[in-house]
Amino acid sequence: MFTLHHDERGLPRRRPPAIWRTLSALDTGLVHLVGRLRVTGGIPAKLRGRPLLMAANHIGVFDALVLIAACKQLGIAPRFLLAGGLLDAPVLGPALRASGHLRVDRGKATAVEQFADAVAAMRTTPSPIIVYPEGRISHDPGLWPERGKTGAARLALAADVPVIPISQWGAHEAVYWGTEKVEGPADLLPLARSGLTAPLRRPTFRVHFGAPVDLSDVEPGRPGAGVRAHAKIMRAITDGLIPLRRDELDKPRFHDPTRPTDTLSPWRP
């Protein structure tokens, strides 16, 4: 459960559970051990202490850890909208559930109910929620954002909350993509080898929190509203990503031989 407190201005502030505070502290230590964190942008003061959706591009298995550390540097403790598989995993799953993260099971009948629960949580809890609109690590050869799905946009419209785009670059250099499904110890070897050498390589993790996406011209009840809002969010993420990778716009300088490259990004500049 999340405990509500109030700051010096009398605004509600969510205090995350002790287990999440502990995990966040360990996460931050790991991120700084593996590489160098560079955070730009921020969350406007008027949006702090109120429901907020943050949408990030997905570039690697390590990037969620980088996002947690970046948010901690800004003084915010977000929750994630996570796939059910993670929340059902041994050891990690119970810790994530106790930390208050939200569940989504794509393609299942319960997804509709979970969407309604997420909307209710967004409306009533003054804590940001992070989503990956792409739904998976990008398969684009240049690692630009994939087309993605409209779920995050529809969530923002239904809950009537601001959207902060998060653009990140560098986390893909920490750990290889690996494989779609882990079926044995051999599938973990590429991740282990790349992860263990990361502290020697010291990649730079760049995270940019952009200005709120303007969705004022999108009417939630109109057909195609989710698609239009999604396009605005994805373009904002891409716009923020360009300066972070200015010297490698064509393709990543770091080559991950395990990552699929079978999809082309429609947002690529």
Side-chain angles (χ1 to χ4, degrees):
M1 297 294 292
F2 289 81
T3 304
L4 290 182
H5 299 268
H6 292 79
D7 62 17
E8 63 278 4
R9 298 169 297 172
L11 295 176
R13 177 172 57 85
R14 179 183 64 87
R15 182 173 175 80
I19 187 171
W20 184 234
R21 297 199 301 272
T22 300
L23 291 174
S24 296
L26 293 173
D27 169 90
T28 299
L30 176 62
V31 169
H32 286 289
L33 172 67
V34 171
R36 295 164 295 216
L37 179 62
R38 303 287 184 267
V39 179
T40 55
I43 308 298
K46 65 180 181 180
L47 296 185
R48 290 179 177 259
R50 58 169 292 184
L52 179 67
L53 186 71
M54 300 194 295
N57 60 316
H58 205 356
I59 58 174
V61 298
F62 197 73
D63 68 17
L65 304 185
V66 172
L67 288 180
I68 293 169
C71 287
K72 186 175 177 62
Q73 185 168 311
L74 292 184
I76 56 176
R79 288 180 289 172
F80 282 79
L81 194 61
L82 297 174
L86 282 174
L87 295 175
D88 292 335
V91 183
L92 179 62
L96 292 174
R97 292 197 301 272
S99 297
H101 299 289
L102 304 180
R103 182 189 190 99
V104 59
D105 291 300
R106 295 184 181 88
K108 295 186 179 181
T110 54
V112 175
E113 182 178 345
Q114 290 163 1
F115 181 84
D117 291 343
V119 170
M122 287 294 302
R123 288 173 172 167
T124 59
T125 307
S127 60
I129 293 177
I130 291 182
V131 297
Y132 287 113
E134 296 166 85
R136 68 177 186 180
I137 296 168
S138 176
H139 287 200
D140 176 72
L143 204 51
W144 290 99
E146 288 194 327
R147 181 174 298 280
K149 303 181 184 300
T150 61
R154 291 187 293 108
L155 176 59
L157 292 175
D160 190 24
V161 298
V163 178
I164 294 290
I166 304 178
S167 309
Q168 60 172 324
W169 190 246
H172 61 291
E173 299 184 22
V175 181
Y176 280 170
W177 180 88
T179 182
E180 193 73 43
K181 294 182 179 179
V182 176
E183 299 179 347
D187 293 331
L188 295 174
L189 285 178
L191 285 76
R193 287 170 180 163
S194 56
L196 289 174
T197 61
L200 302 176
R201 294 183 277 109
R202 300 288 294 166
T204 299
F205 308 131
R206 298 181 176 89
V207 182
H208 179 70
F209 293 80
V213 181
D214 183 7
L215 299 179
S216 60
D217 61 340
V218 180
E219 299 182 35
R222 285 185 173 272
V227 174
R228 291 193 295 275
H230 173 70
K232 282 176 168 282
I233 293 170
M234 296 308 297
R235 290 193 184 102
I237 292 173
T238 303
D239 289 345
L241 180 58
I242 293 173
L244 302 185
R245 52 177 299 183
R246 182 74 69 185
D247 57 345
E248 43 187 323
L249 292 177
D250 182 42
K251 62 180 181 180
R253 183 170 50 245
F254 179 82
H255 175 61
D256 178 353
T258 69
R259 183 176 65 88
T261 55
D262 54 5
T263 302
L264 294 178
S265 168
W267 317 112
R268 182 187 181 107

mmCIF file of all heavy atoms in Angstrom, residues 180-218:
data_model
loop_
_atom_site.group_PDB
_atom_site.id
_atom_site.type_symbol
_atom_site.label_atom_id
_atom_site.label_comp_id
_atom_site.label_asym_id
_atom_site.label_seq_id
_atom_site.Cartn_x
_atom_site.Cartn_y
_atom_site.Cartn_z
ATOM 1 N N GLU A 180 14.043 -13.939 -26.756
ATOM 2 C CA GLU A 180 12.638 -13.653 -26.459
ATOM 3 C C GLU A 180 12.170 -14.412 -25.219
ATOM 4 O O GLU A 180 11.454 -13.877 -24.372
ATOM 5 C CB GLU A 180 11.765 -14.050 -27.655
ATOM 6 C CG GLU A 180 10.345 -13.520 -27.593
ATOM 7 C CD GLU A 180 10.256 -12.027 -27.870
ATOM 8 O OE1 GLU A 180 10.923 -11.543 -28.790
ATOM 9 O OE2 GLU A 180 9.521 -11.343 -27.132
ATOM 10 N N LYS A 181 12.573 -15.671 -25.108
ATOM 11 C CA LYS A 181 12.198 -16.499 -23.970
ATOM 12 C C LYS A 181 13.431 -17.190 -23.408
ATOM 13 O O LYS A 181 14.251 -17.702 -24.166
ATOM 14 C CB LYS A 181 11.161 -17.550 -24.379
ATOM 15 C CG LYS A 181 9.813 -16.981 -24.787
ATOM 16 C CD LYS A 181 8.842 -18.095 -25.132
ATOM 17 C CE LYS A 181 7.480 -17.520 -25.521
ATOM 18 N NZ LYS A 181 6.508 -18.605 -25.884
ATOM 19 N N VAL A 182 13.543 -17.187 -22.105
ATOM 20 C CA VAL A 182 14.651 -17.873 -21.449
ATOM 21 C C VAL A 182 14.217 -19.312 -21.160
ATOM 22 O O VAL A 182 13.302 -19.546 -20.369
ATOM 23 C CB VAL A 182 15.054 -17.171 -20.136
ATOM 24 C CG1 VAL A 182 16.148 -17.958 -19.426
ATOM 25 C CG2 VAL A 182 15.507 -15.751 -20.428
ATOM 26 N N GLU A 183 14.850 -20.258 -21.825
ATOM 27 C CA GLU A 183 14.486 -21.661 -21.673
ATOM 28 C C GLU A 183 15.570 -22.481 -20.995
ATOM 29 O O GLU A 183 15.400 -23.679 -20.768
ATOM 30 C CB GLU A 183 14.161 -22.268 -23.044
ATOM 31 C CG GLU A 183 12.982 -21.580 -23.727
ATOM 32 C CD GLU A 183 12.678 -22.165 -25.096
ATOM 33 O OE1 GLU A 183 13.531 -22.927 -25.597
ATOM 34 O OE2 GLU A 183 11.600 -21.870 -25.642
ATOM 35 N N GLY A 184 16.694 -21.842 -20.683
ATOM 36 C CA GLY A 184 17.763 -22.558 -20.013
ATOM 37 C C GLY A 184 18.926 -21.640 -19.708
ATOM 38 O O GLY A 184 18.957 -20.480 -20.147
ATOM 39 N N PRO A 185 19.914 -22.125 -18.963
ATOM 40 C CA PRO A 185 21.076 -21.304 -18.590
ATOM 41 C C PRO A 185 21.809 -20.716 -19.795
ATOM 42 O O PRO A 185 22.335 -19.600 -19.706
ATOM 43 C CB PRO A 185 21.972 -22.296 -17.832
ATOM 44 C CG PRO A 185 21.023 -23.322 -17.309
ATOM 45 C CD PRO A 185 19.967 -23.464 -18.352
ATOM 46 N N ALA A 186 21.835 -21.428 -20.910
ATOM 47 C CA ALA A 186 22.555 -20.946 -22.093
ATOM 48 C C ALA A 186 21.969 -19.639 -22.609
ATOM 49 O O ALA A 186 22.690 -18.808 -23.175
ATOM 50 C CB ALA A 186 22.539 -22.003 -23.193
ATOM 51 N N ASP A 187 20.651 -19.446 -22.413
ATOM 52 C CA ASP A 187 19.998 -18.220 -22.888
ATOM 53 C C ASP A 187 20.416 -17.002 -22.070
ATOM 54 O O ASP A 187 20.228 -15.862 -22.511
ATOM 55 C CB ASP A 187 18.479 -18.375 -22.834
ATOM 56 C CG ASP A 187 17.965 -19.407 -23.816
ATOM 57 O OD1 ASP A 187 18.610 -19.588 -24.864
ATOM 58 O OD2 ASP A 187 16.926 -20.034 -23.534
ATOM 59 N N LEU A 188 20.946 -17.240 -20.888
ATOM 60 C CA LEU A 188 21.350 -16.130 -20.021
ATOM 61 C C LEU A 188 22.801 -15.723 -20.225
ATOM 62 O O LEU A 188 23.216 -14.661 -19.749
ATOM 63 C CB LEU A 188 21.144 -16.516 -18.553
ATOM 64 C CG LEU A 188 19.696 -16.754 -18.110
ATOM 65 C CD1 LEU A 188 19.662 -17.268 -16.678
ATOM 66 C CD2 LEU A 188 18.877 -15.474 -18.242
ATOM 67 N N LEU A 189 23.567 -16.542 -20.929
ATOM 68 C CA LEU A 189 24.992 -16.255 -21.096
ATOM 69 C C LEU A 189 25.272 -14.918 -21.774
ATOM 70 O O LEU A 189 26.127 -14.157 -21.317
ATOM 71 C CB LEU A 189 25.672 -17.398 -21.852
ATOM 72 C CG LEU A 189 25.904 -18.681 -21.050
ATOM 73 C CD1 LEU A 189 26.552 -19.752 -21.934
ATOM 74 C CD2 LEU A 189 26.770 -18.403 -19.830
ATOM 75 N N PRO A 190 24.576 -14.575 -22.901
ATOM 76 C CA PRO A 190 24.856 -13.269 -23.538
ATOM 77 C C PRO A 190 24.572 -12.096 -22.604
ATOM 78 O O PRO A 190 25.315 -11.104 -22.598
ATOM 79 C CB PRO A 190 23.899 -13.251 -24.740
ATOM 80 C CG PRO A 190 23.621 -14.690 -25.030
ATOM 81 C CD PRO A 190 23.611 -15.361 -23.682
ATOM 82 N N LEU A 191 23.508 -12.211 -21.794
ATOM 83 C CA LEU A 191 23.192 -11.141 -20.855
ATOM 84 C C LEU A 191 24.264 -11.044 -19.780
ATOM 85 O O LEU A 191 24.706 -9.942 -19.421
ATOM 86 C CB LEU A 191 21.825 -11.373 -20.210
ATOM 87 C CG LEU A 191 20.584 -11.099 -21.068
ATOM 88 C CD1 LEU A 191 20.348 -12.199 -22.087
ATOM 89 C CD2 LEU A 191 19.354 -10.944 -20.177
ATOM 90 N N ALA A 192 24.684 -12.196 -19.268
ATOM 91 C CA ALA A 192 25.691 -12.202 -18.201
ATOM 92 C C ALA A 192 27.020 -11.641 -18.693
ATOM 93 O O ALA A 192 27.658 -10.826 -18.019
ATOM 94 C CB ALA A 192 25.870 -13.621 -17.670
ATOM 95 N N ARG A 193 27.437 -12.063 -19.877
ATOM 96 C CA ARG A 193 28.729 -11.614 -20.400
ATOM 97 C C ARG A 193 28.739 -10.113 -20.641
ATOM 98 O O ARG A 193 29.694 -9.412 -20.286
ATOM 99 C CB ARG A 193 29.049 -12.354 -21.696
ATOM 100 C CG ARG A 193 29.432 -13.819 -21.492
ATOM 101 C CD ARG A 193 29.500 -14.544 -22.813
ATOM 102 N NE ARG A 193 29.868 -15.958 -22.635
ATOM 103 C CZ ARG A 193 29.683 -16.881 -23.561
ATOM 104 N NH1 ARG A 193 29.133 -16.558 -24.730
ATOM 105 N NH2 ARG A 193 30.060 -18.134 -23.321
ATOM 106 N N SER A 194 27.684 -9.616 -21.257
ATOM 107 C CA SER A 194 27.630 -8.177 -21.537
ATOM 108 C C SER A 194 27.472 -7.382 -20.246
ATOM 109 O O SER A 194 28.095 -6.326 -20.066
ATOM 110 C CB SER A 194 26.479 -7.863 -22.499
ATOM 111 O OG SER A 194 25.231 -8.342 -21.981
ATOM 112 N N GLY A 195 26.643 -7.885 -19.325
ATOM 113 C CA GLY A 195 26.421 -7.167 -18.077
ATOM 114 C C GLY A 195 27.657 -7.093 -17.199
ATOM 115 O O GLY A 195 27.926 -6.067 -16.575
ATOM 116 N N LEU A 196 28.433 -8.176 -17.172
ATOM 117 C CA LEU A 196 29.625 -8.198 -16.328
ATOM 118 C C LEU A 196 30.733 -7.296 -16.863
ATOM 119 O O LEU A 196 31.581 -6.823 -16.099
ATOM 120 C CB LEU A 196 30.144 -9.636 -16.202
ATOM 121 C CG LEU A 196 29.265 -10.572 -15.351
ATOM 122 C CD1 LEU A 196 29.787 -12.000 -15.422
ATOM 123 C CD2 LEU A 196 29.200 -10.092 -13.900
ATOM 124 N N THR A 197 30.730 -7.040 -18.169
ATOM 125 C CA THR A 197 31.756 -6.162 -18.737
ATOM 126 C C THR A 197 31.329 -4.695 -18.752
ATOM 127 O O THR A 197 32.154 -3.814 -18.994
ATOM 128 C CB THR A 197 32.116 -6.589 -20.173
ATOM 129 O OG1 THR A 197 30.941 -6.489 -21.003
ATOM 130 C CG2 THR A 197 32.631 -8.014 -20.208
ATOM 131 N N ALA A 198 30.042 -4.438 -18.500
ATOM 132 C CA ALA A 198 29.536 -3.066 -18.547
ATOM 133 C C ALA A 198 30.268 -2.122 -17.594
ATOM 134 O O ALA A 198 30.596 -0.989 -17.971
ATOM 135 C CB ALA A 198 28.034 -3.031 -18.289
ATOM 136 N N PRO A 199 30.570 -2.530 -16.343
ATOM 137 C CA PRO A 199 31.291 -1.610 -15.447
ATOM 138 C C PRO A 199 32.676 -1.237 -15.963
ATOM 139 O O PRO A 199 33.204 -0.177 -15.594
ATOM 140 C CB PRO A 199 31.394 -2.417 -14.137
ATOM 141 C CG PRO A 199 30.245 -3.360 -14.179
ATOM 142 C CD PRO A 199 30.125 -3.745 -15.625
ATOM 143 N N LEU A 200 33.252 -2.078 -16.810
ATOM 144 C CA LEU A 200 34.542 -1.758 -17.407
ATOM 145 C C LEU A 200 34.377 -0.783 -18.569
ATOM 146 O O LEU A 200 35.232 0.078 -18.796
ATOM 147 C CB LEU A 200 35.241 -3.034 -17.890
ATOM 148 C CG LEU A 200 35.493 -4.106 -16.823
ATOM 149 C CD1 LEU A 200 36.108 -5.346 -17.464
ATOM 150 C CD2 LEU A 200 36.405 -3.571 -15.729
ATOM 151 N N ARG A 201 33.263 -0.919 -19.281
ATOM 152 C CA ARG A 201 32.999 -0.043 -20.436
ATOM 153 C C ARG A 201 32.424 1.300 -20.018
ATOM 154 O O ARG A 201 32.562 2.290 -20.721
ATOM 155 C CB ARG A 201 32.050 -0.749 -21.414
ATOM 156 C CG ARG A 201 32.668 -1.990 -22.059
ATOM 157 C CD ARG A 201 31.727 -2.624 -23.076
ATOM 158 N NE ARG A 201 30.739 -3.510 -22.439
ATOM 159 C CZ ARG A 201 29.454 -3.254 -22.322
ATOM 160 N NH1 ARG A 201 28.958 -2.115 -22.795
ATOM 161 N NH2 ARG A 201 28.630 -4.108 -21.726
ATOM 162 N N ARG A 202 31.721 1.333 -18.895
ATOM 163 C CA ARG A 202 31.125 2.549 -18.334
ATOM 164 C C ARG A 202 30.282 3.331 -19.355
ATOM 165 O O ARG A 202 30.579 4.488 -19.680
ATOM 166 C CB ARG A 202 32.199 3.474 -17.754
ATOM 167 C CG ARG A 202 33.033 2.885 -16.636
ATOM 168 C CD ARG A 202 32.240 2.757 -15.358
ATOM 169 N NE ARG A 202 31.874 4.060 -14.826
ATOM 170 C CZ ARG A 202 30.957 4.240 -13.864
ATOM 171 N NH1 ARG A 202 30.281 3.221 -13.401
ATOM 172 N NH2 ARG A 202 30.704 5.443 -13.410
ATOM 173 N N PRO A 203 29.206 2.730 -19.884
ATOM 174 C CA PRO A 203 28.355 3.477 -20.814
ATOM 175 C C PRO A 203 27.688 4.660 -20.127
ATOM 176 O O PRO A 203 27.499 4.664 -18.900
ATOM 177 C CB PRO A 203 27.322 2.439 -21.253
ATOM 178 C CG PRO A 203 27.297 1.437 -20.145
ATOM 179 C CD PRO A 203 28.694 1.372 -19.624
ATOM 180 N N THR A 204 27.329 5.652 -20.914
ATOM 181 C CA THR A 204 26.613 6.821 -20.390
ATOM 182 C C THR A 204 25.127 6.636 -20.617
ATOM 183 O O THR A 204 24.691 6.400 -21.746
ATOM 184 C CB THR A 204 27.087 8.108 -21.067
ATOM 185 O OG1 THR A 204 28.480 8.298 -20.810
ATOM 186 C CG2 THR A 204 26.315 9.311 -20.550
ATOM 187 N N PHE A 205 24.355 6.740 -19.555
ATOM 188 C CA PHE A 205 22.906 6.596 -19.625
ATOM 189 C C PHE A 205 22.287 7.996 -19.635
ATOM 190 O O PHE A 205 22.349 8.716 -18.641
ATOM 191 C CB PHE A 205 22.388 5.801 -18.430
ATOM 192 C CG PHE A 205 23.089 4.488 -18.209
ATOM 193 C CD1 PHE A 205 23.555 4.147 -16.950
ATOM 194 C CD2 PHE A 205 23.291 3.600 -19.258
ATOM 195 C CE1 PHE A 205 24.198 2.935 -16.741
ATOM 196 C CE2 PHE A 205 23.936 2.388 -19.066
ATOM 197 C CZ PHE A 205 24.401 2.054 -17.796
ATOM 198 N N ARG A 206 21.708 8.352 -20.747
ATOM 199 C CA ARG A 206 21.089 9.677 -20.893
ATOM 200 C C ARG A 206 19.569 9.549 -20.822
ATOM 201 O O ARG A 206 18.977 8.776 -21.572
ATOM 202 C CB ARG A 206 21.512 10.317 -22.209
ATOM 203 C CG ARG A 206 23.013 10.573 -22.316
ATOM 204 C CD ARG A 206 23.375 11.227 -23.647
ATOM 205 N NE ARG A 206 24.795 11.562 -23.705
ATOM 206 C CZ ARG A 206 25.737 10.744 -24.141
ATOM 207 N NH1 ARG A 206 25.398 9.528 -24.583
ATOM 208 N NH2 ARG A 206 26.997 11.110 -24.156
ATOM 209 N N VAL A 207 18.970 10.326 -19.941
ATOM 210 C CA VAL A 207 17.512 10.308 -19.774
ATOM 211 C C VAL A 207 17.012 11.747 -19.807
ATOM 212 O O VAL A 207 17.507 12.601 -19.060
ATOM 213 C CB VAL A 207 17.100 9.646 -18.445
ATOM 214 C CG1 VAL A 207 15.577 9.609 -18.332
ATOM 215 C CG2 VAL A 207 17.678 8.238 -18.333
ATOM 216 N N HIS A 208 16.049 11.999 -20.677
ATOM 217 C CA HIS A 208 15.493 13.349 -20.795
ATOM 218 C C HIS A 208 13.993 13.328 -20.522
ATOM 219 O O HIS A 208 13.247 12.583 -21.152
ATOM 220 C CB HIS A 208 15.745 13.917 -22.184
ATOM 221 C CG HIS A 208 15.163 15.290 -22.369
ATOM 222 N ND1 HIS A 208 15.677 16.411 -21.740
ATOM 223 C CD2 HIS A 208 14.075 15.719 -23.071
ATOM 224 C CE1 HIS A 208 14.964 17.468 -22.062
ATOM 225 N NE2 HIS A 208 13.978 17.079 -22.856
ATOM 226 N N PHE A 209 13.569 14.159 -19.568
ATOM 227 C CA PHE A 209 12.151 14.327 -19.266
ATOM 228 C C PHE A 209 11.658 15.548 -20.037
ATOM 229 O O PHE A 209 12.078 16.683 -19.757
ATOM 230 C CB PHE A 209 11.948 14.522 -17.761
ATOM 231 C CG PHE A 209 12.283 13.303 -16.941
ATOM 232 C CD1 PHE A 209 13.609 13.002 -16.632
ATOM 233 C CD2 PHE A 209 11.284 12.458 -16.496
ATOM 234 C CE1 PHE A 209 13.926 11.881 -15.880
ATOM 235 C CE2 PHE A 209 11.589 11.323 -15.738
ATOM 236 C CZ PHE A 209 12.922 11.037 -15.433
ATOM 237 N N GLY A 210 10.797 15.315 -21.021
ATOM 238 C CA GLY A 210 10.353 16.401 -21.890
ATOM 239 C C GLY A 210 9.190 17.196 -21.322
ATOM 240 O O GLY A 210 8.644 16.888 -20.255
ATOM 241 N N ALA A 211 8.799 18.222 -22.065
ATOM 242 C CA ALA A 211 7.644 19.033 -21.680
ATOM 243 C C ALA A 211 6.370 18.213 -21.845
ATOM 244 O O ALA A 211 6.306 17.303 -22.682
ATOM 245 C CB ALA A 211 7.581 20.285 -22.547
ATOM 246 N N PRO A 212 5.341 18.497 -21.053
ATOM 247 C CA PRO A 212 4.079 17.758 -21.191
ATOM 248 C C PRO A 212 3.560 17.787 -22.628
ATOM 249 O O PRO A 212 3.635 18.815 -23.310
ATOM 250 C CB PRO A 212 3.132 18.512 -20.249
ATOM 251 C CG PRO A 212 4.032 19.153 -19.244
ATOM 252 C CD PRO A 212 5.285 19.521 -19.992
ATOM 253 N N VAL A 213 3.065 16.640 -23.078
ATOM 254 C CA VAL A 213 2.528 16.540 -24.432
ATOM 255 C C VAL A 213 1.184 17.256 -24.487
ATOM 256 O O VAL A 213 0.307 17.026 -23.638
ATOM 257 C CB VAL A 213 2.347 15.066 -24.848
ATOM 258 C CG1 VAL A 213 1.805 14.978 -26.269
ATOM 259 C CG2 VAL A 213 3.671 14.317 -24.737
ATOM 260 N N ASP A 214 1.010 18.115 -25.474
ATOM 261 C CA ASP A 214 -0.231 18.872 -25.618
ATOM 262 C C ASP A 214 -1.282 18.004 -26.302
ATOM 263 O O ASP A 214 -1.221 17.764 -27.501
ATOM 264 C CB ASP A 214 0.023 20.144 -26.441
ATOM 265 C CG ASP A 214 -1.224 21.014 -26.558
ATOM 266 O OD1 ASP A 214 -2.239 20.693 -25.897
ATOM 267 O OD2 ASP A 214 -1.187 22.006 -27.314
ATOM 268 N N LEU A 215 -2.240 17.544 -25.529
ATOM 269 C CA LEU A 215 -3.334 16.725 -26.076
ATOM 270 C C LEU A 215 -4.657 17.488 -26.048
ATOM 271 O O LEU A 215 -5.724 16.888 -26.153
ATOM 272 C CB LEU A 215 -3.471 15.427 -25.261
ATOM 273 C CG LEU A 215 -2.247 14.495 -25.243
ATOM 274 C CD1 LEU A 215 -2.530 13.279 -24.372
ATOM 275 C CD2 LEU A 215 -1.865 14.064 -26.660
ATOM 276 N N SER A 216 -4.584 18.802 -25.926
ATOM 277 C CA SER A 216 -5.795 19.607 -25.774
ATOM 278 C C SER A 216 -6.697 19.561 -27.011
ATOM 279 O O SER A 216 -7.904 19.789 -26.902
ATOM 280 C CB SER A 216 -5.422 21.067 -25.465
ATOM 281 O OG SER A 216 -4.639 21.622 -26.518
ATOM 282 N N ASP A 217 -6.104 19.268 -28.174
ATOM 283 C CA ASP A 217 -6.914 19.232 -29.391
ATOM 284 C C ASP A 217 -7.439 17.831 -29.703
ATOM 285 O O ASP A 217 -8.033 17.613 -30.760
ATOM 286 C CB ASP A 217 -6.103 19.753 -30.582
ATOM 287 C CG ASP A 217 -4.868 18.905 -30.857
ATOM 288 O OD1 ASP A 217 -4.437 18.171 -29.944
ATOM 289 O OD2 ASP A 217 -4.323 18.984 -31.982
ATOM 290 N N VAL A 218 -7.217 16.885 -28.792
ATOM 291 C CA VAL A 218 -7.713 15.522 -28.985
ATOM 292 C C VAL A 218 -8.935 15.316 -28.107
ATOM 293 O O VAL A 218 -8.853 15.367 -26.879
ATOM 294 C CB VAL A 218 -6.633 14.471 -28.618
ATOM 295 C CG1 VAL A 218 -7.176 13.067 -28.826
ATOM 296 C CG2 VAL A 218 -5.379 14.679 -29.455
#
